[in-house]
Amino acid sequence: MAQLFFRYGAMNSGKSIEILKVAHNYEEQNKQVIILTSAIDDRSGVGVVASRIGLKREAHPIDAATNVFDLVSELNPKAACVLIDEAQFLQKHHVFECAQVVDELRIPVMAFGLKNDFRNELFEGSKYLLLYADKIEEMKTICWFCAKKAIMNLRVHDHQPVYAGEQIQIGGNEAYFPVCRHHYYFPPKDMLG
Ligand SMILES: [Zn+2]
């Protein structure tokens, strides 16, 4: 049975590399996959899934006007799997359309993304994926500053932690770190540089 999966993790938990790995595994068996990503994150060029270890490949960008169900129907209604990177940036309607892909086209959809923004609020895409996914899985990584599991994302600007502001600010001088709860509130001052 096709299912809607949401695999969430903090920054650097290997979400993009996992997408590339899953795609590779399907393709090795001559099964076709569709790779989608949010058009909001254009750090690697619009429509690219890029992992920090250097592997990358093209993806179809999703913007506000995209209907994911129509896009998948057009691209390949017989695809073996749909993989979505940066799923936290999806809007509510995109998540409904993903569910429609699963329920009507019977194609599994695996969405990967962050759960918490830097203010510790849910992203819109993550909120609706948590509500609508059949399977929810955590991808683990450790805190930037200690050996505990990272469950939050710390935004740093000019060596200072930032806890307020616009949810989405990509690029600029911001850096984001996967952190445990303690280090979210008390990051070591000398380590932020
Ligand atoms: Zn920590």
Side-chain angles (χ1 to χ4, degrees):
M1 282 303 285
Q3 292 188 311
L4 176 58
F5 295 83
F6 180 39
R7 302 190 68 183
Y8 71 88
M11 301 292 297
N12 300 355
S13 58
K15 296 182 289 296
S16 299
I17 191 70
E18 183 66 17
I19 288 177
L20 299 176
K21 205 172 84 180
V22 171
H24 179 76
N25 290 344
Y26 274 103
E27 287 165 350
E28 226 171 22
Q29 302 171 37
N30 292 317
K31 292 175 181 161
Q32 295 190 347
V33 300
I34 293 173
I35 304 180
L36 308 175
T37 189
S38 163
I40 290 176
D41 185 350
D42 59 0
R43 285 173 299 181
S44 319
V46 167
V48 174
V49 173
S51 73
R52 288 169 306 115
I53 65 170
L55 292 173
K56 60 179 178 181
R57 60 182 283 178
E58 280 183 19
H60 298 275
I62 298 172
D63 62 26
T66 305
N67 179 308
V68 177
F69 181 81
D70 292 347
L71 178 63
V72 170
S73 305
E74 258 172 53
L75 289 170
N76 184 358
K78 303 260 181 249
C81 183
V82 175
L83 297 160
I84 306 180
D85 199 14
E86 306 290 356
Q88 70 272 11
F89 297 138
L90 296 180
Q91 296 175 2
K92 185 177 178 179
H93 73 88
H94 293 132
V95 175
F96 291 174
E97 292 150 13
C98 289
Q100 219 188 337
V101 168
V102 172
D103 297 339
E104 294 181 27
L105 300 177
R106 313 238 179 256
I107 301 173
V109 174
M110 301 178 74
F112 293 73
L114 303 170
K115 179 165 58 71
N116 322 32
D117 69 13
F118 72 98
R119 305 166 305 184
N120 268 328
E121 302 290 345
L122 289 172
F123 283 97
E124 181 173 346
S126 317
K127 174 182 168 183
Y128 288 100
L129 282 162
L130 286 168
L131 291 169
Y132 282 86
D134 298 295
K135 276 217 171 102
I136 297 164
E137 293 166 347
E138 182 180 28
M139 297 185 65
K140 297 185 178 74
T141 190
I142 61 166
C143 172
W144 195 264
F145 305 112
C146 75
K148 281 193 183 158
K149 188 173 81 174
I151 57 171
M152 298 176 179
N153 300 297
L154 178 69
R155 180 194 277 184
V156 175
H157 182 80
D158 288 339
H159 305 271
Q160 293 300 316
V162 183
Y163 299 106
E166 290 294 308
Q167 182 176 58
I168 299 172
Q169 283 181 14
I170 290 165
N173 293 321
E174 279 78 26
Y176 293 88
F177 297 92
V179 288
C180 69
R181 186 166 47 236
H182 171 74
H183 283 124
Y184 176 80
Y185 292 108
F186 305 102
K189 294 281 177 269
D190 56 332
M191 289 180 74
L192 291 175

